[in-house]
mmCIF file of all heavy atoms in Angstrom:
data_model
loop_
_atom_site.group_PDB
_atom_site.id
_atom_site.type_symbol
_atom_site.label_atom_id
_atom_site.label_comp_id
_atom_site.label_asym_id
_atom_site.label_seq_id
_atom_site.Cartn_x
_atom_site.Cartn_y
_atom_site.Cartn_z
ATOM 1 N N ALA A 13 37.630 9.459 74.053
ATOM 2 C CA ALA A 13 38.689 8.527 74.347
ATOM 3 C C ALA A 13 38.627 7.467 73.209
ATOM 4 O O ALA A 13 37.902 6.482 73.308
ATOM 5 C CB ALA A 13 38.493 7.887 75.690
ATOM 6 N N PRO A 14 39.404 7.699 72.122
ATOM 7 C CA PRO A 14 39.300 6.820 70.923
ATOM 8 C C PRO A 14 39.505 5.340 71.285
ATOM 9 O O PRO A 14 38.791 4.516 70.643
ATOM 10 C CB PRO A 14 40.358 7.336 70.033
ATOM 11 C CG PRO A 14 40.505 8.788 70.387
ATOM 12 C CD PRO A 14 40.288 8.853 71.885
ATOM 13 N N TRP A 15 40.393 4.993 72.146
ATOM 14 C CA TRP A 15 40.669 3.581 72.424
ATOM 15 C C TRP A 15 39.434 2.927 72.973
ATOM 16 O O TRP A 15 39.359 1.662 73.033
ATOM 17 C CB TRP A 15 41.842 3.453 73.413
ATOM 18 C CG TRP A 15 43.169 3.608 72.713
ATOM 19 C CD1 TRP A 15 43.917 4.761 72.657
ATOM 20 C CD2 TRP A 15 43.918 2.623 71.971
ATOM 21 N NE1 TRP A 15 45.029 4.561 71.878
ATOM 22 C CE2 TRP A 15 45.029 3.216 71.516
ATOM 23 C CE3 TRP A 15 43.646 1.283 71.635
ATOM 24 C CZ2 TRP A 15 45.979 2.545 70.686
ATOM 25 C CZ3 TRP A 15 44.565 0.635 70.906
ATOM 26 C CH2 TRP A 15 45.727 1.262 70.421
ATOM 27 N N ARG A 16 38.428 3.649 73.555
ATOM 28 C CA ARG A 16 37.213 3.065 74.053
ATOM 29 C C ARG A 16 36.118 3.089 73.036
ATOM 30 O O ARG A 16 35.069 2.527 73.248
ATOM 31 C CB ARG A 16 36.778 3.822 75.295
ATOM 32 C CG ARG A 16 37.766 3.823 76.489
ATOM 33 C CD ARG A 16 37.051 4.022 77.806
ATOM 34 N NE ARG A 16 36.397 5.283 77.886
ATOM 35 C CZ ARG A 16 36.857 6.416 78.484
ATOM 36 N NH1 ARG A 16 38.057 6.392 79.046
ATOM 37 N NH2 ARG A 16 36.175 7.515 78.468
ATOM 38 N N GLU A 17 36.373 3.700 71.845
ATOM 39 C CA GLU A 17 35.337 3.840 70.867
ATOM 40 C C GLU A 17 35.651 3.082 69.564
ATOM 41 O O GLU A 17 34.764 2.471 68.922
ATOM 42 C CB GLU A 17 35.141 5.289 70.545
ATOM 43 C CG GLU A 17 34.573 6.098 71.661
ATOM 44 C CD GLU A 17 34.244 7.531 71.214
ATOM 45 O OE1 GLU A 17 33.966 7.800 70.026
ATOM 46 O OE2 GLU A 17 34.223 8.449 72.074
ATOM 47 N N TRP A 18 36.903 3.167 69.064
ATOM 48 C CA TRP A 18 37.168 2.661 67.753
ATOM 49 C C TRP A 18 37.383 1.141 67.688
ATOM 50 O O TRP A 18 37.378 0.484 68.711
ATOM 51 C CB TRP A 18 38.367 3.402 67.138
ATOM 52 C CG TRP A 18 39.751 3.168 67.829
ATOM 53 C CD1 TRP A 18 40.082 2.204 68.671
ATOM 54 C CD2 TRP A 18 40.855 3.960 67.602
ATOM 55 N NE1 TRP A 18 41.393 2.333 69.039
ATOM 56 C CE2 TRP A 18 41.895 3.435 68.437
ATOM 57 C CE3 TRP A 18 41.159 5.117 66.853
ATOM 58 C CZ2 TRP A 18 43.203 3.973 68.460
ATOM 59 C CZ3 TRP A 18 42.461 5.662 66.923
ATOM 60 C CH2 TRP A 18 43.440 5.128 67.710
ATOM 61 N N GLU A 19 37.551 0.667 66.468
ATOM 62 C CA GLU A 19 37.753 -0.755 66.236
ATOM 63 C C GLU A 19 39.162 -1.110 65.807
ATOM 64 O O GLU A 19 39.480 -2.152 65.328
ATOM 65 C CB GLU A 19 36.772 -1.261 65.157
ATOM 66 C CG GLU A 19 35.312 -1.133 65.590
ATOM 67 C CD GLU A 19 34.335 -1.613 64.586
ATOM 68 O OE1 GLU A 19 34.769 -1.961 63.446
ATOM 69 O OE2 GLU A 19 33.095 -1.598 64.849
ATOM 70 N N LEU A 20 40.075 -0.105 65.992
ATOM 71 C CA LEU A 20 41.487 -0.314 65.707
ATOM 72 C C LEU A 20 42.161 -0.978 66.831
ATOM 73 O O LEU A 20 42.973 -0.393 67.584
ATOM 74 C CB LEU A 20 42.167 1.006 65.367
ATOM 75 C CG LEU A 20 41.488 1.813 64.231
ATOM 76 C CD1 LEU A 20 42.164 3.161 64.036
ATOM 77 C CD2 LEU A 20 41.418 1.060 62.929
ATOM 78 N N THR A 21 41.838 -2.267 67.067
ATOM 79 C CA THR A 21 42.224 -2.921 68.307
ATOM 80 C C THR A 21 43.544 -3.676 68.221
ATOM 81 O O THR A 21 43.879 -4.424 69.099
ATOM 82 C CB THR A 21 41.117 -3.889 68.725
ATOM 83 O OG1 THR A 21 40.791 -4.778 67.554
ATOM 84 C CG2 THR A 21 39.819 -3.155 69.120
ATOM 85 N N SER A 22 44.260 -3.530 67.130
ATOM 86 C CA SER A 22 45.553 -4.205 66.979
ATOM 87 C C SER A 22 46.556 -3.265 66.322
ATOM 88 O O SER A 22 46.174 -2.288 65.683
ATOM 89 C CB SER A 22 45.478 -5.475 66.195
ATOM 90 O OG SER A 22 45.197 -5.158 64.804
ATOM 91 N N ARG A 23 47.839 -3.587 66.454
ATOM 92 C CA ARG A 23 48.902 -2.794 65.808
ATOM 93 C C ARG A 23 48.722 -2.831 64.286
ATOM 94 O O ARG A 23 48.908 -1.867 63.581
ATOM 95 C CB ARG A 23 50.233 -3.361 66.202
ATOM 96 C CG ARG A 23 51.403 -2.411 65.919
ATOM 97 C CD ARG A 23 51.430 -1.297 66.940
ATOM 98 N NE ARG A 23 52.543 -0.397 66.737
ATOM 99 C CZ ARG A 23 52.674 0.688 67.462
ATOM 100 N NH1 ARG A 23 51.754 1.045 68.346
ATOM 101 N NH2 ARG A 23 53.704 1.491 67.259
ATOM 102 N N THR A 24 48.347 -3.983 63.771
ATOM 103 C CA THR A 24 48.183 -4.125 62.327
ATOM 104 C C THR A 24 47.087 -3.202 61.823
ATOM 105 O O THR A 24 47.255 -2.492 60.804
ATOM 106 C CB THR A 24 47.806 -5.590 62.013
ATOM 107 O OG1 THR A 24 48.888 -6.450 62.438
ATOM 108 C CG2 THR A 24 47.622 -5.779 60.498
ATOM 109 N N LYS A 25 45.972 -3.166 62.541
ATOM 110 C CA LYS A 25 44.821 -2.247 62.125
ATOM 111 C C LYS A 25 45.222 -0.776 62.167
ATOM 112 O O LYS A 25 44.824 -0.014 61.300
ATOM 113 C CB LYS A 25 43.609 -2.538 62.985
ATOM 114 C CG LYS A 25 42.984 -3.893 62.706
ATOM 115 C CD LYS A 25 41.714 -4.106 63.568
ATOM 116 C CE LYS A 25 41.066 -5.437 63.225
ATOM 117 N NZ LYS A 25 39.894 -5.665 64.084
ATOM 118 N N LEU A 26 46.026 -0.456 63.179
ATOM 119 C CA LEU A 26 46.470 0.973 63.281
ATOM 120 C C LEU A 26 47.336 1.316 62.096
ATOM 121 O O LEU A 26 47.168 2.409 61.484
ATOM 122 C CB LEU A 26 47.330 1.143 64.564
ATOM 123 C CG LEU A 26 46.647 1.497 65.864
ATOM 124 C CD1 LEU A 26 47.707 1.552 67.018
ATOM 125 C CD2 LEU A 26 45.891 2.807 65.762
ATOM 126 N N ILE A 27 48.261 0.438 61.679
ATOM 127 C CA ILE A 27 49.159 0.711 60.600
ATOM 128 C C ILE A 27 48.352 0.740 59.282
ATOM 129 O O ILE A 27 48.620 1.598 58.420
ATOM 130 C CB ILE A 27 50.288 -0.297 60.540
ATOM 131 C CG1 ILE A 27 51.195 -0.065 61.747
ATOM 132 C CG2 ILE A 27 51.080 -0.236 59.229
ATOM 133 C CD1 ILE A 27 52.277 -1.129 61.906
ATOM 134 N N GLU A 28 47.364 -0.125 59.124
ATOM 135 C CA GLU A 28 46.558 -0.172 57.920
ATOM 136 C C GLU A 28 45.805 1.164 57.782
ATOM 137 O O GLU A 28 45.656 1.733 56.725
ATOM 138 C CB GLU A 28 45.626 -1.376 57.961
ATOM 139 C CG GLU A 28 46.263 -2.688 57.703
ATOM 140 C CD GLU A 28 45.383 -3.880 57.872
ATOM 141 O OE1 GLU A 28 44.189 -3.659 58.390
ATOM 142 O OE2 GLU A 28 45.735 -5.014 57.588
ATOM 143 N N PHE A 29 45.242 1.628 58.931
ATOM 144 C CA PHE A 29 44.529 2.915 58.922
ATOM 145 C C PHE A 29 45.479 4.041 58.528
ATOM 146 O O PHE A 29 45.091 4.898 57.751
ATOM 147 C CB PHE A 29 43.916 3.168 60.294
ATOM 148 C CG PHE A 29 43.133 4.437 60.392
ATOM 149 C CD1 PHE A 29 41.787 4.437 60.207
ATOM 150 C CD2 PHE A 29 43.736 5.656 60.667
ATOM 151 C CE1 PHE A 29 41.018 5.624 60.307
ATOM 152 C CE2 PHE A 29 43.034 6.801 60.759
ATOM 153 C CZ PHE A 29 41.610 6.831 60.541
ATOM 154 N N ALA A 30 46.663 4.042 59.073
ATOM 155 C CA ALA A 30 47.689 5.018 58.747
ATOM 156 C C ALA A 30 47.995 5.068 57.263
ATOM 157 O O ALA A 30 48.080 6.093 56.635
ATOM 158 C CB ALA A 30 48.942 4.867 59.604
ATOM 159 N N GLU A 31 48.200 3.854 56.732
ATOM 160 C CA GLU A 31 48.519 3.760 55.300
ATOM 161 C C GLU A 31 47.416 4.221 54.404
ATOM 162 O O GLU A 31 47.644 4.969 53.451
ATOM 163 C CB GLU A 31 48.876 2.290 54.939
ATOM 164 C CG GLU A 31 50.235 1.786 55.522
ATOM 165 C CD GLU A 31 50.447 0.352 55.307
ATOM 166 O OE1 GLU A 31 49.461 -0.412 55.180
ATOM 167 O OE2 GLU A 31 51.650 -0.035 55.289
ATOM 168 N N ARG A 32 46.139 3.881 54.781
ATOM 169 C CA ARG A 32 45.028 4.385 53.985
ATOM 170 C C ARG A 32 44.866 5.885 53.966
ATOM 171 O O ARG A 32 44.337 6.503 53.055
ATOM 172 C CB ARG A 32 43.698 3.740 54.523
ATOM 173 C CG ARG A 32 43.559 2.279 54.181
ATOM 174 C CD ARG A 32 42.050 1.869 54.365
ATOM 175 N NE ARG A 32 41.540 2.215 55.664
ATOM 176 C CZ ARG A 32 41.571 1.434 56.788
ATOM 177 N NH1 ARG A 32 42.190 0.275 56.674
ATOM 178 N NH2 ARG A 32 41.047 1.834 57.895
ATOM 179 N N ASN A 33 45.359 6.505 55.048
ATOM 180 C CA ASN A 33 45.214 7.921 55.181
ATOM 181 C C ASN A 33 46.473 8.712 55.029
ATOM 182 O O ASN A 33 46.556 9.862 55.430
ATOM 183 C CB ASN A 33 44.567 8.249 56.562
ATOM 184 C CG ASN A 33 43.146 7.761 56.680
ATOM 185 O OD1 ASN A 33 42.204 8.466 56.237
ATOM 186 N ND2 ASN A 33 42.885 6.594 57.234
ATOM 187 N N GLN A 34 47.478 8.118 54.436
ATOM 188 C CA GLN A 34 48.751 8.775 54.085
ATOM 189 C C GLN A 34 49.420 9.347 55.337
ATOM 190 O O GLN A 34 49.997 10.430 55.273
ATOM 191 C CB GLN A 34 48.576 9.796 53.009
ATOM 192 C CG GLN A 34 48.241 9.311 51.641
ATOM 193 C CD GLN A 34 46.763 8.945 51.484
ATOM 194 O OE1 GLN A 34 45.907 9.772 51.777
ATOM 195 N NE2 GLN A 34 46.457 7.750 50.958
ATOM 196 N N ILE A 35 49.391 8.633 56.479
ATOM 197 C CA ILE A 35 50.036 9.069 57.686
ATOM 198 C C ILE A 35 51.470 8.427 57.665
ATOM 199 O O ILE A 35 51.551 7.199 57.554
ATOM 200 C CB ILE A 35 49.251 8.647 58.930
ATOM 201 C CG1 ILE A 35 47.917 9.365 58.963
ATOM 202 C CG2 ILE A 35 50.087 9.005 60.203
ATOM 203 C CD1 ILE A 35 46.980 8.855 60.044
ATOM 204 N N PRO A 36 52.495 9.207 57.738
ATOM 205 C CA PRO A 36 53.861 8.640 57.662
ATOM 206 C C PRO A 36 54.059 7.611 58.837
ATOM 207 O O PRO A 36 53.662 7.869 59.972
ATOM 208 C CB PRO A 36 54.768 9.857 57.834
ATOM 209 C CG PRO A 36 53.957 11.001 57.409
ATOM 210 C CD PRO A 36 52.562 10.691 57.747
ATOM 211 N N ILE A 37 54.698 6.541 58.512
ATOM 212 C CA ILE A 37 55.001 5.496 59.494
ATOM 213 C C ILE A 37 56.502 5.271 59.532
ATOM 214 O O ILE A 37 57.096 4.907 58.526
ATOM 215 C CB ILE A 37 54.243 4.151 59.133
ATOM 216 C CG1 ILE A 37 52.773 4.416 58.905
ATOM 217 C CG2 ILE A 37 54.530 3.109 60.230
ATOM 218 C CD1 ILE A 37 52.078 3.228 58.336
ATOM 219 N N ALA A 38 57.103 5.505 60.731
ATOM 220 C CA ALA A 38 58.550 5.274 60.839
ATOM 221 C C ALA A 38 58.828 3.775 60.681
ATOM 222 O O ALA A 38 57.967 2.905 61.015
ATOM 223 C CB ALA A 38 58.979 5.772 62.196
ATOM 224 N N LYS A 39 59.992 3.485 60.203
ATOM 225 C CA LYS A 39 60.368 2.077 59.919
ATOM 226 C C LYS A 39 60.295 1.216 61.192
ATOM 227 O O LYS A 39 59.881 0.079 61.150
ATOM 228 C CB LYS A 39 61.801 2.016 59.352
ATOM 229 C CG LYS A 39 61.853 2.533 57.916
ATOM 230 C CD LYS A 39 63.265 2.384 57.335
ATOM 231 C CE LYS A 39 63.359 2.888 55.916
ATOM 232 N NZ LYS A 39 64.715 2.768 55.394
ATOM 233 N N ASP A 40 60.676 1.800 62.329
ATOM 234 C CA ASP A 40 60.684 1.010 63.597
ATOM 235 C C ASP A 40 59.286 0.888 64.141
ATOM 236 O O ASP A 40 59.100 0.203 65.165
ATOM 237 C CB ASP A 40 61.627 1.639 64.586
ATOM 238 C CG ASP A 40 61.155 3.075 65.058
ATOM 239 O OD1 ASP A 40 60.238 3.623 64.373
ATOM 240 O OD2 ASP A 40 61.687 3.599 66.007
ATOM 241 N N LYS A 41 58.261 1.469 63.492
ATOM 242 C CA LYS A 41 56.853 1.309 64.011
ATOM 243 C C LYS A 41 56.162 0.165 63.246
ATOM 244 O O LYS A 41 55.075 -0.251 63.625
ATOM 245 C CB LYS A 41 56.095 2.603 63.764
ATOM 246 C CG LYS A 41 56.575 3.763 64.583
ATOM 247 C CD LYS A 41 56.442 3.531 66.058
ATOM 248 C CE LYS A 41 56.906 4.736 66.869
ATOM 249 N NZ LYS A 41 56.861 4.526 68.324
ATOM 250 N N ARG A 42 56.749 -0.326 62.151
ATOM 251 C CA ARG A 42 56.150 -1.460 61.456
ATOM 252 C C ARG A 42 56.462 -2.755 62.171
ATOM 253 O O ARG A 42 57.392 -2.854 62.955
ATOM 254 C CB ARG A 42 56.676 -1.515 59.981
ATOM 255 C CG ARG A 42 56.183 -0.300 59.190
ATOM 256 C CD ARG A 42 56.661 -0.392 57.767
ATOM 257 N NE ARG A 42 56.224 0.784 56.954
ATOM 258 C CZ ARG A 42 54.996 0.896 56.407
ATOM 259 N NH1 ARG A 42 54.089 -0.109 56.519
ATOM 260 N NH2 ARG A 42 54.676 1.979 55.765
ATOM 261 N N GLY A 43 55.691 -3.751 61.869
ATOM 262 C CA GLY A 43 55.875 -5.079 62.483
ATOM 263 C C GLY A 43 55.345 -5.047 63.935
ATOM 264 O O GLY A 43 54.403 -4.354 64.253
ATOM 265 N N GLU A 44 55.933 -5.873 64.753
ATOM 266 C CA GLU A 44 55.478 -6.056 66.085
ATOM 267 C C GLU A 44 55.712 -4.780 66.932
ATOM 268 O O GLU A 44 56.696 -4.120 66.808
ATOM 269 C CB GLU A 44 56.201 -7.242 66.748
ATOM 270 C CG GLU A 44 55.527 -7.736 68.006
ATOM 271 C CD GLU A 44 56.221 -9.013 68.528
ATOM 272 O OE1 GLU A 44 57.203 -9.420 67.914
ATOM 273 O OE2 GLU A 44 55.765 -9.530 69.533
ATOM 274 N N ALA A 45 54.697 -4.453 67.755
ATOM 275 C CA ALA A 45 54.816 -3.273 68.585
ATOM 276 C C ALA A 45 55.990 -3.339 69.543
ATOM 277 O O ALA A 45 56.230 -4.361 70.172
ATOM 278 C CB ALA A 45 53.544 -3.032 69.358
ATOM 279 N N PRO A 46 56.729 -2.223 69.748
ATOM 280 C CA PRO A 46 57.756 -2.191 70.754
ATOM 281 C C PRO A 46 57.135 -2.052 72.100
ATOM 282 O O PRO A 46 55.919 -1.889 72.245
ATOM 283 C CB PRO A 46 58.547 -0.984 70.373
ATOM 284 C CG PRO A 46 57.532 -0.053 69.742
ATOM 285 C CD PRO A 46 56.602 -0.991 69.009
ATOM 286 N N PHE A 47 57.929 -2.170 73.159
ATOM 287 C CA PHE A 47 57.396 -1.936 74.474
ATOM 288 C C PHE A 47 57.008 -0.458 74.597
ATOM 289 O O PHE A 47 57.547 0.438 73.933
ATOM 290 C CB PHE A 47 58.351 -2.361 75.601
ATOM 291 C CG PHE A 47 59.752 -1.746 75.581
ATOM 292 C CD1 PHE A 47 59.940 -0.498 76.154
ATOM 293 C CD2 PHE A 47 60.766 -2.362 74.984
ATOM 294 C CE1 PHE A 47 61.223 0.072 76.155
ATOM 295 C CE2 PHE A 47 62.066 -1.792 74.988
ATOM 296 C CZ PHE A 47 62.270 -0.537 75.517
ATOM 297 N N SER A 48 56.121 -0.173 75.492
ATOM 298 C CA SER A 48 55.546 1.146 75.668
ATOM 299 C C SER A 48 56.444 1.994 76.631
ATOM 300 O O SER A 48 56.848 1.510 77.693
ATOM 301 C CB SER A 48 54.140 1.100 76.226
ATOM 302 O OG SER A 48 53.661 2.364 76.557
ATOM 303 N N VAL A 49 56.693 3.226 76.247
ATOM 304 C CA VAL A 49 57.538 4.153 77.071
ATOM 305 C C VAL A 49 56.814 5.462 77.254
ATOM 306 O O VAL A 49 56.209 6.063 76.351
ATOM 307 C CB VAL A 49 58.900 4.405 76.402
ATOM 308 C CG1 VAL A 49 59.685 5.456 77.217
ATOM 309 C CG2 VAL A 49 59.686 3.145 76.186
ATOM 310 N N ASP A 50 56.794 5.892 78.564
ATOM 311 C CA ASP A 50 56.339 7.210 78.911
ATOM 312 C C ASP A 50 57.466 7.945 79.583
ATOM 313 O O ASP A 50 58.193 7.378 80.412
ATOM 314 C CB ASP A 50 55.144 7.169 79.790
ATOM 315 C CG ASP A 50 54.699 8.526 80.285
ATOM 316 O OD1 ASP A 50 54.057 9.263 79.465
ATOM 317 O OD2 ASP A 50 55.006 8.971 81.410
ATOM 318 N N ALA A 51 57.702 9.193 79.202
ATOM 319 C CA ALA A 51 58.859 9.901 79.749
ATOM 320 C C ALA A 51 58.518 11.367 80.036
ATOM 321 O O ALA A 51 57.770 11.968 79.251
ATOM 322 C CB ALA A 51 60.084 9.777 78.861
#
């Protein structure tokens, strides 16, 4: 369960990790996190 193990505890850290590892980031994922949706 990564959320219980890692230190990526903010949206900013998640995006920084993605950028360091060449993970594509959609434009609407940058900046402040949107509300969470499950469907």
